[in-house]
Amino acid sequence: KYLENLKNHSPDNNEEVEEKQTRNWVEFFKQEENNFIEYKSSLRVCLKESKPMPYIEHSILKTINGFQNAEGGKLFVGIEDNGSILGLALDMKSFGQKGKDGFLLHFDNIVNNGLGKEQQADINIKFDSVDDLEFAIVEISASNKPSFLTVNGKKEFYVRHAASTRAYDISEAYEYIAKH
């Protein structure tokens, strides 16, 4: 039994598992965005300007809020809209020496500030990589009550539809909440 366990955990077997996971992600990212999947290139860095920009973070929060107000979903950060893996190098670099810890702390802070601490329980973040390109997988559960995004003291309400996240004005939000 001991030798069998050793065999199952050999470096060759680990490489095989890793290669299979890589193939799985590459195949997975070929599917287009939909009601439950969204790709974002970055958590906060504008790729055109190569610096953090508030509108990038707002886009992340809108997506999370949209999934919360619909049926939940997965947000992949470090992945282009076409499914190409960009990785998180620019985001990680923007946090200096803090790297992944800085990324996670910043993610928690923008979620807490924009959506509230109580929403943290509906959000799980983890990392994976393909060919040394690390990306984040954010799993968002549907909220059991309406969730609002606060931006500059103003409440916003988003819902995920097909492959987009749509803003609802106050009357649309009221109707949606009443029906759901």
Side-chain angles (χ1 to χ4, degrees):
K1 188 121 181 140
Y2 174 76
L3 290 176
E4 188 178 319
N5 281 341
L6 261 174
K7 181 181 172 189
N8 289 336
H9 291 88
S10 71
D12 291 339
N13 194 37
N14 287 341
E15 288 172 17
E16 193 176 299
V17 168
E18 196 172 300
E19 184 179 320
K20 184 177 180 188
Q21 182 58 50
T22 295
R23 280 195 313 268
N24 289 346
W25 279 126
V26 170
E27 287 302 309
F28 180 87
F29 293 141
K30 286 181 182 176
Q31 71 180 304
E32 295 181 0
E33 296 175 327
N34 58 44
N35 285 26
F36 305 100
I37 297 170
E38 175 72 18
Y39 305 133
K40 294 289 183 191
S41 299
S42 174
L43 175 68
R44 71 183 200 151
V45 175
C46 170
L47 300 182
K48 291 177 185 164
E49 297 191 38
S50 296
K51 65 180 184 179
M53 300 294 283
Y55 77 91
I56 303 291
E57 292 175 358
H58 184 253
S59 177
I60 295 285
L61 291 171
K62 281 180 5 184
T63 300
I64 293 171
N65 187 242
F67 280 138
Q68 289 176 319
N69 287 321
E71 298 176 57
K74 288 185 181 182
L75 165 64
F76 294 87
V77 183
I79 309 296
E80 287 184 291
D81 284 342
N82 66 9
S84 297
I85 303 167
L86 288 175
L88 298 172
L90 286 175
D91 276 323
M92 296 299 183
K93 185 178 176 187
S94 75
F95 297 111
Q97 297 291 335
K98 295 178 184 172
K100 193 182 288 187
D101 286 342
F103 185 101
L104 289 168
L105 180 61
H106 189 74
F107 179 82
D108 283 347
N109 286 338
I110 65 171
V111 168
N112 287 340
N113 292 335
L115 297 167
K117 291 177 186 164
E118 66 280 359
Q119 297 302 330
Q120 206 64 35
D122 292 332
I123 301 166
N124 182 39
I125 185 170
K126 59 187 174 184
F127 296 90
D128 207 339
S129 64
V130 170
D131 297 331
D132 295 326
L133 293 172
E134 192 167 35
F135 54 92
I137 306 159
V138 183
E139 297 173 335
I140 302 113
S141 300
S143 182
N144 60 0
K145 64 180 185 170
S147 173
F148 292 87
L149 173 59
T150 304
V151 179
N152 299 323
K154 190 176 136 193
K155 296 282 186 188
E156 298 176 2
F157 187 84
Y158 294 91
V159 177
R160 183 72 179 184
H161 291 278
S164 67
T165 302
R166 296 186 187 153
Y168 279 39
D169 67 25
I170 193 73
S171 62
E172 291 169 328
Y174 178 78
E175 280 293 315
Y176 182 84
I177 292 166
K179 288 180 180 178
H180 294 84

